[in-house]
Amino acid sequence: MAGYALEVRGLHVWLRDKHVVKGVSFRCPEATITAIMGPSGTGKSTLLRALNRLIDLNPDARVEGEVLLRGESIYDMEPYELRRRVAMVFQEPNPFPHMSIYDNVAIGPRLHGLARDRRELDKIVRWALEKAMLWDEVKDRLHDSPMKLSGGQRQRLSLARALALKPEVLLLDEPTANVDPVNAVKIEEAIRDLVREEGVTVVFVTHLPSQAVRVSEYLIFMYDGRIVEHGPSREVALNPRNPLTERFFRGEL
Amino acid sequence: MGGPRRSGTRRRILDRLGLALIVALAILAVAPLFHILYVITLRGAEAIAHIGLKRFIVDRPHPFNAENPGGIGPALLGTLELSAATSATATLIALPAAILVAELRGSRISRLTLLLALTLVELPTILVGLTAYAILVDHIVGHYNMLAGILALTLVILPYIVVEASESLRQIPAGLREAAYSLGAPRTRTIYEVIAPAARRGILVGILIGLARAAGETAPLLFTIGGAYEAYHTCLTSEGGAVPLMIYQFIQMPFKPARELAWGASLVLLLIVVSIMVVARLLVREVRL
């Protein structure tokens, strides 16, 4: 039995005086997709930002509890190295506007010294763009500005930028919320391939129950800072045990 | 008695009157600008045409020679020197300050720096000139010198660059910062590789505004650079000239050639400042994120 890539134990987050994440525990098996769904404002994004310690940048945030990355506490790691191993894609496509498409993907490997020379860097950039299903669309204009790309392409570029870090875990914060349906499908496909072919473990936050069920092996339903239901996706979708989950699937929450 | 129709007419008349008043006031507000442009262009062009463009730009002035008044060469060179040196030093000091203001926003030192910059903007420039005089002319060098002018002008334009640059740094969306951190970039690299380059146009606009001010300011130069227009000077610790200071001094002379030179110099100064501002405006328009 493969181990767990990510293990969260009794995680609490306060933003100023507001208790946003209230004692959350779950585990993500290696090379699986866990979807976290729930209405907006239930602490999904905040929870995600605690997993790569991005929340440390918010001086008003206070975190309690344990997060283990392959058995090792993330608080014993350098945050920079942690963020290389646990990469993230955000809701808003956010490529760096002043860098070329190539440099956007190359910045991660450059920061962490992942490539020994230019040829290796080229290889990583190409690999990441292929995995994000963007290579064919941009291979002839790698040195153009990313601002010439469409919104969906920009989001796939953000995905490629994260993948170039060769992460073990990928955090996705509603990655298709600002993207057209065609691009949303491409992104979902890219992510499923990543898990299958590269063994990346994915935590996928979404507010769409249909998407959550479609992409994931495991499903977490969060409500008001707590995990209300957690289990294999099909099981949760077909037989929700908690009435709140049922109401969420019916679109009542 | 007037029915609804008559009161409708009255309302229409009042509406027209109100509009006419606003248009008239707007014209009144911009009229001085056009008058300034008109007068300076007319009299400046007349003077330069009389002297000849090349001679006017390159030659030394002969303010008492009605046949050949000469040109503003040394003063023009002085202004270019002052502007270049001032922008360079002010930028070097202002950029770290702007980054501090924008990055540590909310902290006491950030607020204090911004407050000081805003105060410095409001400070009468003649006081800044006086300070430079007291330090560099009176104490260290012993006579008028270009360095004192550079010091004074630097202090004058420094706060403009700090305010403008910190403002454009602050407008960089938080998402870019998060993205950089999420890639494992440390804070300094996030600032120097993502935040500052993304704000580069705004920063450049701030520098250009500073440059335009440095080229046009007179008061900080009154008792710092000395006003030597007769010769091309070579050393920053020697006296020098500048176009605005030359205008100030020559226009007051009771000789026609001196005043001709002053008008011509005014047109040159106007063109320098306006072209810098046009470039700055164009840059602002191109900003997109």
Side-chain angles (χ1 to χ4, degrees):
Chain A
M1 179 72 207
Y4 294 101
L6 204 63
E7 208 174 332
V8 178
R9 291 185 194 152
L11 191 74
H12 292 264
V13 182
W14 288 264
L15 296 176
R16 286 182 195 277
D17 298 328
K18 209 171 160 237
H19 200 174
V20 181
V21 177
K22 304 171 179 171
V24 163
S25 304
F26 63 92
R27 296 189 288 199
C28 302
E30 296 265 4
T32 59
I33 303 182
T34 302
I36 302 179
M37 62 173 194
S40 13
T42 37
K44 305 186 299 288
S45 294
T46 307
L47 167 64
L48 214 55
R49 280 168 172 72
L51 303 183
N52 63 353
R53 290 178 61 184
L54 208 54
I55 198 146
D56 293 7
L57 304 172
N58 182 348
D60 297 322
R62 192 160 64 82
V63 183
E64 248 175 44
E66 247 185 305
V67 180
L68 305 179
L69 174 63
R70 294 203 155 131
E72 196 187 342
S73 166
I74 63 167
Y75 288 94
D76 295 338
M77 295 175 197
E78 274 289 326
Y80 313 124
E81 178 59 12
L82 168 69
R83 290 176 197 142
R84 188 199 66 70
R85 295 174 62 187
V86 182
M88 185 161 181
V89 176
F90 299 82
Q91 182 172 354
E92 196 67 42
N94 55 6
F96 301 126
H98 59 288
M99 292 182 189
S100 68
I101 293 171
Y102 181 95
D103 287 333
N104 261 283
V105 184
I107 182 174
R110 279 184 180 139
L111 276 167
H112 296 277
L114 301 185
R116 262 170 307 169
D117 53 31
R118 179 70 192 218
R119 193 181 302 164
E120 263 188 42
L121 190 60
D122 285 349
K123 249 170 78 185
I124 296 177
V125 168
R126 177 172 182 163
W127 174 86
L129 285 168
E130 279 173 351
K131 287 291 164 192
M133 298 191 171
L134 190 60
W135 173 255
D136 289 333
E137 289 156 66
V138 300
K139 63 183 174 199
D140 300 321
R141 44 177 177 154
L142 288 175
H143 298 285
D144 280 5
S145 162
M147 305 320 271
K148 290 183 185 165
L149 301 176
S150 75
Q153 289 174 322
R154 283 184 210 177
Q155 187 64 317
R156 280 181 281 144
L157 180 60
S158 309
L159 176 63
R161 183 178 62 189
L163 295 181
L165 296 167
K166 303 270 174 130
E168 297 156 40
V169 175
L170 188 59
L171 309 176
L172 304 168
D173 187 6
E174 308 209 18
T176 62
N178 290 306
V179 160
D180 61 274
V182 175
N183 271 291
V185 168
K186 277 193 181 166
I187 290 171
E188 285 179 18
E189 238 175 83
I191 288 159
R192 271 199 300 259
D193 287 352
L194 267 167
V195 173
R196 203 170 41 234
E197 290 161 18
E198 308 294 330
V200 177
T201 306
V202 173
V203 183
F204 194 126
V205 163
T206 174
H207 66 274
L208 300 171
S210 56
Q211 185 178 46
V213 175
R214 190 166 59 233
V215 298
S216 66
E217 275 103 13
Y218 297 94
L219 194 51
I220 289 174
F221 175 57
M222 250 181 105
Y223 189 74
D224 192 27
R226 292 192 177 83
I227 291 183
V228 172
E229 191 143 358
H230 181 194
S233 304
R234 252 158 244 293
E235 224 169 89
V236 174
L238 294 174
N239 298 308
R241 271 168 296 171
N242 194 300
L244 278 172
T245 319
E246 223 182 314
R247 285 180 58 198
F248 183 69
F249 275 121
R250 281 205 306 262
E252 291 172 10
L253 282 180
Chain B
M1 284 304 293
R5 197 163 158 261
R6 253 186 83 187
S7 80
T9 322
R10 202 179 140 201
R11 196 168 33 194
R12 216 169 301 139
I13 291 170
L14 276 177
D15 182 51
R16 292 270 159 83
L17 272 177
L19 194 65
L21 190 68
I22 289 169
V23 170
L25 288 173
I27 291 174
L28 204 63
V30 292
L33 172 68
F34 285 103
H35 185 66
I36 291 170
L37 294 177
Y38 172 74
V39 171
I40 289 176
T41 309
L42 195 72
R43 302 197 65 164
E46 203 180 330
I48 294 175
H50 172 228
I51 297 166
L53 182 62
K54 183 168 174 277
R55 184 187 283 171
F56 184 77
I57 296 293
V58 178
D59 276 12
R60 298 162 192 199
H62 314 296
F64 314 114
N65 185 340
E67 297 293 298
N68 175 16
I72 60 167
L76 193 56
L77 183 71
T79 283
L80 295 182
E81 268 180 31
L82 285 172
S83 312
T86 300
S87 315
T89 46
T91 303
L92 277 178
I93 305 169
L95 281 194
I99 287 171
L100 184 138
V101 168
E103 284 298 312
L104 301 180
R105 139 182 31 161
S107 74
R108 198 170 296 169
I109 182 150
S110 156
R111 272 178 296 171
L112 188 67
T113 310
L114 188 60
L115 183 70
L116 287 177
L118 291 171
T119 312
L120 208 50
V121 167
E122 302 298 332
L123 210 62
T125 50
I126 193 145
L127 300 183
V128 180
L130 196 61
T131 311
Y133 169 82
I135 298 169
L136 272 174
V137 178
D138 214 16
H139 275 289
I140 296 176
V141 181
H143 54 78
Y144 290 129
N145 63 84
M146 292 292 268
L147 277 179
I150 293 169
L151 174 68
L153 286 177
T154 300
L155 290 176
V156 169
I157 72 168
L158 183 68
Y160 285 91
I161 305 181
V162 172
V163 171
E164 192 77 21
S166 67
E167 201 46 55
S168 62
L169 284 168
R170 284 162 70 137
Q171 279 169 5
I172 297 305
L176 285 188
R177 187 185 307 270
E178 265 198 324
Y181 282 122
S182 80
L183 295 170
R187 182 172 202 167
T188 44
R189 295 194 68 169
T190 300
I191 294 171
Y192 288 105
E193 288 177 32
V194 174
I195 308 293
R200 63 192 167 188
R201 278 182 193 280
I203 294 172
L204 197 58
V205 168
I207 295 171
L208 284 175
I209 291 174
L211 184 67
R213 277 203 69 107
E217 274 292 332
T218 317
L221 304 178
L222 279 176
F223 25 68
T224 48
I225 65 170
Y229 313 108
E230 309 303 325
Y232 281 101
H233 53 85
T234 48
C235 179
L236 285 181
T237 51
S238 63
E239 299 180 39
V243 176
L245 191 60
M246 182 182 185
I247 297 168
Y248 167 74
Q249 286 168 350
F250 277 38
I251 203 74
Q252 300 181 69
M253 291 186 182
F255 313 106
K256 191 165 173 278
R259 304 181 55 154
E260 225 175 352
L261 284 170
W263 280 111
S266 305
L267 180 57
V268 171
L269 185 61
L270 183 71
L271 288 176
I272 292 175
V273 172
V274 166
S275 49
I276 296 172
M277 289 321 257
V278 166
V279 173
R281 285 294 135 219
L282 288 177
L283 280 174
V284 168
R285 203 179 304 158
E286 272 181 46
V287 171
R288 65 203 166 103
L289 278 169

